[in-house]
Amino acid sequence: DQQVKQNSPSLSVQEGRISILNCDYTNSMFDYFLWYKKYPAEGPTFLISISSIKDKNEDGRFTVFLNKSAKHLSLHIVPSQPGDSAVYFCAASTANFGNEKLTFGTGTRLTIIP
Amino acid sequence: DAGITQSPRHKVTETGTPVTLRCHQTENHRYMYWYRQDPGHGLRLIHYSYGVKDTDKGEVSDGYSVSRSKTEDFLLTLESATSSQTSVYFCATTGTGSPLHFGNGTRLTVT
C-alpha cells in the first residue's frame, strides 16, 4: 500500500523552462511534506518542505504547493538548470522536525536538457 | 551530510551469512534511522532509534536487527542474508528542529 505516490518515473525539461514534479498521498494524518533530491552514489539531500497549515512555500528557484483537499503536492523549479538533473523524492510525515518517520514516494528522475 | 559515515560503502556477500552495516555520526543527533532503497519502492524505513539502547521497528524490519550502544553509532545486522536484501542501505539522522540528513549509502549485494 503506497501511501505516497509519484506517478511519473521520469521527466525531461529544457534548460530555462519550468519543471513540475507531482506527488499524491492517501494518508490524511500526514501533516508535513518534504522534497529530497538525490544524485547517483550519494544520499538524498533535503530540498524544501511545507506544513499542512500552508499551501505554498518558496525558496529561491524552488516552490512547493500543497492542495490538502486533493491530497496533492507539487514541486516547481524555475528556471531549470542542468545541475537540477537528479532523482526527486516526495516524503510525508506526521511529525515536524522531530522524530520523523518519513514515508517516501518512489521518486521521479528529472533530466534537464541543455 | 551532517557528518554521517556509512561503512562499508560496498559489500558482496553470500546467502545465509550474517552482515553488519555501520553508521557513525558526529552531530550528536538523538534520532537515527536505517532505510533501504529499491527500484519501484523509493526509500523504506527498516528500523530507527530515539536514543541509546532505544530502538523500534519500521515498515520492513523482518530479517533485520539493530543496536545502538553509543549516541554516535547505529548498527544494522542482517541475521542471515537473502537475495531479497540486495539493496542500497541509507542511514539518516535528525536532531530537534532539523530535517532528516542521510549518509551516502551502502550498496549490498547478496549472491
Side-chain angles (χ1 to χ4, degrees), chain A residues 26 29 38 42 46 69 72 77 89 92 99 103-104 106 110:
Chain A
T26 58
M29 297 300 292
K38 185 183 180 305
E42 295 183 9
F46 171 72
S69 60
H72 177 84
I77 306 172
F89 289 99
N99 182 8
T103 300
F104 283 85
T106 53
L110 175 65

Side-chain angles (χ1 to χ4, degrees), chain A residues 2 34 36 38 41-46 87 89 96-107, chain B residues 9 31 33 35 37 40-43 45 48 50 90 94-104:
Chain A
Q2 195 76 28
L34 307 89
Y36 278 80
K38 185 183 180 305
E42 295 183 9
T45 56
F46 171 72
V87 177
F89 289 99
N96 180 357
F97 287 171
N99 182 8
E100 293 178 276
K101 295 187 289 292
L102 295 180
T103 300
F104 283 85
T106 53
Chain B
R9 289 296 312 275
Y31 302 103
Y33 309 79
Y35 282 85
Q37 183 195 1
H41 291 280
L43 291 98
L45 181 64
Y48 64 100
Y50 41 96
F90 288 100
T94 186
T96 303
S98 66
L100 221 57
H101 292 273
F102 286 86
N104 284 330

Side-chain angles (χ1 to χ4, degrees), chain A residues 21-40:
Chain A
L21 294 90
N22 294 303
C23 179
D24 298 293
Y25 62 97
T26 58
N27 188 344
S28 58
M29 297 300 292
F30 289 142
D31 60 7
Y32 205 70
F33 304 90
L34 307 89
W35 285 93
Y36 278 80
K37 175 180 180 179
K38 185 183 180 305
Y39 293 120

Side-chain angles (χ1 to χ4, degrees), chain A residues 28 52 75 93:
Chain A
S28 58
S52 60
L75 174 68
S93 172

Side-chain angles (χ1 to χ4, degrees), chain A residues 47-72:
Chain A
L47 191 57
I48 192 170
S49 62
I50 187 167
S51 164
S52 60
I53 63 173
K54 295 186 175 182
D55 55 16
K56 176 182 174 180
N57 188 27
E58 191 172 353
D59 183 2
R61 296 186 298 114
F62 302 93
T63 303
V64 56
F65 295 92
L66 175 62
N67 182 332
K68 282 189 64 178
S69 60
K71 293 190 175 67
H72 177 84

